Amino acid sequence: MAAKSTYTKMFPVSWTELHRDAKALAWRLADLGPFKGLVAITRGGLVPAAIVARELNVRLIDTVCCSTYEKTRRGGKVEVLKGTQAEQDSGEDWLIVDDLVDTGVTAERVREMMPKAHFATVYAKPAGKPMVDTFITEVSQDTWILFPWDQEAVMSTPIVELKATDRRR
Ligand SMILES: O=P(O)(O)OC[C@H]1O[C@H](OP(=O)(O)OP(=O)(O)O)[C@H](O)[C@@H]1O
Ligand SMILES: Nc1nc2[nH]cnc2c(=O)[nH]1
Ligand SMILES: [Mg+2]
């Protein structure tokens, strides 16, 4: 069981950056295909999978629906809510796409279902890197990647007010 991960820094990703990085992943994968189909790991893999599928002209797309019990403590148990037809051939010639690999427990669970598939993520942390075949950007283990679908625009505090708060501390 992986230890509880503590995240000390944030890595916000905009829609534009996510699109750019997912296309970069598609460039890497284009040389490895052609793939029979693509399996997106829900929910984070859905948007990157849509971009990669379009760039690779893949139209057979399935999902593996995963739920990790513990939102904060990474490395917990991964429940598979729905499997995929790709398991029939152990994932041979199938491409698995997720947004990121952190501790690797999700990738490990899905790899058990499809050991012959090519596993690709847009982002990877050191602990999960060995579990994936292709990724684009590595971030440190203590960094939380904040995806555009998890962000909203809020008013920021003026610097003078931040300084006044610091002085009162
Ligand atoms: O390597 P791990 O420690 O397993 O972390 C990586 C997984 O965590 C996130 O999914 P999450 O479980 O948060 O669910 P979601 O994709 O539905 O948001 C992410 O989309 C990966 O699937
Ligand atoms: N959004 C997001 N989900 C995660 N699940 C595991 N690690 C992460 C992360 O860094 N960002
Ligand atoms: Mg996920």
Side-chain angles (χ1 to χ4, degrees):
M1 179 78 73
K4 179 177 169 60
S5 306
T6 49
Y7 300 96
T8 58
K9 38 180 130 8
M10 199 66 88
F11 179 64
V13 177
S14 68
W15 284 109
T16 303
E17 290 163 339
L18 192 279
H19 189 200
R20 178 200 60 205
D21 293 345
K23 287 179 81 164
L25 181 60
W27 271 104
R28 294 272 185 84
L29 297 169
D31 301 333
L32 307 176
F35 295 104
K36 187 184 293 179
L38 191 159
V39 176
I41 300 180
T42 65
R43 297 158 306 168
L46 288 168
V47 169
I51 295 163
V52 169
R54 186 264 176 195
E55 299 304 333
L56 300 190
N57 275 334
V58 171
R59 286 174 171 77
L60 179 58
I61 299 166
D62 198 357
T63 58
V64 165
C65 299
C66 291
S67 173
T68 40
Y69 291 114
E70 311 275 342
K71 272 297 140 222
T72 48
R73 184 172 56 79
R74 300 312 310 164
K77 188 176 176 317
V78 180
E79 184 185 3
V80 175
L81 305 176
K82 180 191 85 65
T84 164
Q85 67 182 82
E87 293 176 70
Q88 286 155 21
D89 11 330
S90 306
E92 189 163 17
D93 297 329
W94 282 80
L95 170 63
I96 301 170
V97 173
D98 205 352
D99 50 357
L100 79 114
V101 61
D102 188 325
T103 65
V105 292
T106 302
E108 196 172 5
R109 181 73 180 81
V110 173
R111 266 205 180 288
E112 283 166 15
M113 301 160 67
M114 291 171 277
K116 294 181 181 172
H118 189 94
F119 202 115
T121 61
V122 187
Y123 307 104
K125 305 206 186 156
K129 257 178 22 176
M131 293 308 299
V132 296
D133 299 305
T134 306
F135 69 92
I136 294 300
T137 302
E138 179 172 355
V139 300
S140 65
Q141 200 68 41
D142 63 344
T143 298
W144 184 262
I145 302 172
L146 186 63
F147 289 102
W149 51 82
D150 284 333
Q151 295 173 29
E152 61 181 5
V154 292
M155 283 287 282
S156 67
T157 306
I159 289 170
V160 283
E161 290 174 27
L162 290 174
K163 283 180 171 299
T165 306
D166 280 350
R167 277 196 294 275
R168 283 195 293 274
R169 281 204 180 114

